Amino acid sequence: DVKVTQSSRYLVKRTGEKVFLECVQDMDHENMFWYRQDPGLGLRLIYFSYDVKMKEKGDIPEGYSVSREKKERFSLILESASTNQTSMYLCASSPPVGSARGQAYGYTFGSGTRLTVV
Amino acid sequence: DAKTTQPTSMDCAEGRAANLPCNHSTISGNEYVYWYRQIHSQGPQYIIHGLKNNETNEMASLIITEDRKSSTLILPHATLRDTAVYYCIVRTTSGSARQLTFGSGTQLTVLP
């Protein structure tokens, strides 16, 4: 069963801490994504990556950075955590958009990491 | 990407068909219609997608109108486990990778 695995289900961090959220996929997907989900605001794209070492900003990149050193792993970094970054974080992966695989399978999401910054 | 409009919430009796509508009146010719659902506290799950023909898989059926301006996701025999938020998304198959934008979705509640 193919999957996207997020390293932590729940995480509590202190304001100002540097936080790493890890995501690993076993589907050999080229694209990987980080979203955050907040009540009333839906899913919002933070960053995405379409290849190793490549990244692009999404709609709300401020306060975040990402790292993709290997194809299967995409890390989201909160450089200095703040309380307004308390949220559910969702990682996803997909084949290239224009490929037959990309059309057929869409996105596969992880189960999410619920981060609380205190 | 074309914007989608869905009802905020719907109820359905267990065992009955759940029909979830979606309007996408500004859809363009190269945009597919995708449906995902999100069960509470889990990541979204792919259900089905289509371009212009009706589609069916083991989870659901997708009916797309001839003008492609709207579609309906059908869960033929809803169960309590189908209670979730259902997202209708239109997505191009060209350009960069970022064209998966989730709206507010429809909260489907299956009632016993």
Side-chain angles (χ1 to χ4, degrees), chain A residues 9 31 33 35 37 43 45 48 50 57-59 88 90 94 97-98 102-107 109-111 114, chain B residues 32 34 36 38 40-46 49 87 91-104:
Chain A
R9 191 79 174 96
N31 299 329
F33 308 82
Y35 288 84
Q37 185 172 30
L43 280 85
L45 181 64
F48 68 99
Y50 52 89
K57 294 179 179 179
D59 299 317
M88 168 71 90
L90 289 157
S94 80
V97 172
Q103 177 212 318
Y105 297 112
Y107 285 29
F109 281 84
S111 298
R114 187 165 294 280
Chain B
Y32 284 73
Y34 281 79
Y36 286 76
Q38 188 174 22
H40 183 63
S41 296
Q42 297 182 23
Q45 175 192 22
Y46 165 83
H49 76 284
Y87 296 99
R91 178 191 181 202
T92 185
T93 57
S94 60
S96 69
R98 60 183 295 169
Q99 297 93 356
L100 196 64
T101 303
F102 287 78
S104 300

Side-chain angles (χ1 to χ4, degrees), chain A residues 59-99:
Chain A
D59 299 317
I60 50 163
E62 296 78 19
Y64 303 95
S65 63
V66 290
S67 172
R68 192 160 180 208
E69 296 298 316
K70 295 184 178 181
K71 188 176 186 180
E72 66 271 20
R73 186 180 297 271
F74 192 36
S75 303
L76 180 69
I77 304 157
L78 286 67
E79 298 289 344
S80 177
S82 64
T83 55
N84 62 12
Q85 292 178 309
T86 291
S87 186
M88 168 71 90
Y89 289 87
L90 289 157
C91 176
S93 73
S94 80
V97 172
S99 69

Side-chain angles (χ1 to χ4, degrees), chain B residues 36-62:
Chain B
Y36 286 76
R37 74 179 183 184
Q38 188 174 22
I39 296 169
H40 183 63
S41 296
Q42 297 182 23
Q45 175 192 22
Y46 165 83
I47 301 173
I48 199 168
H49 76 284
L51 182 62
K52 53 184 177 181
N53 297 321
N54 297 339
E55 302 288 344
T56 295
N57 63 20
E58 64 278 3
M59 290 181 69
S61 294
L62 174 61

Side-chain angles (χ1 to χ4, degrees), chain B residues 6-7 10 12 16-24 33-38 45-50 54-65 70-78 82 84-89 106 108:
Chain B
Q6 299 177 253
M10 295 180 62
C12 176
R16 297 292 191 122
N19 296 284
L20 292 94
C22 179
N23 287 319
H24 31 79
V33 180
Y34 281 79
W35 282 84
Y36 286 76
R37 74 179 183 184
Q38 188 174 22
Q45 175 192 22
Y46 165 83
I47 301 173
I48 199 168
H49 76 284
N54 297 339
E55 302 288 344
T56 295
N57 63 20
E58 64 278 3
M59 290 181 69
S61 294
L62 174 61
I63 309 298
I64 302 174
T65 58
S70 66
S71 60
T72 301
L73 178 75
I74 301 172
L75 308 178
H77 305 286
D82 291 322
V85 178
Y86 287 77
Y87 296 99
C88 168
I89 300 160
T106 297
L108 174 69

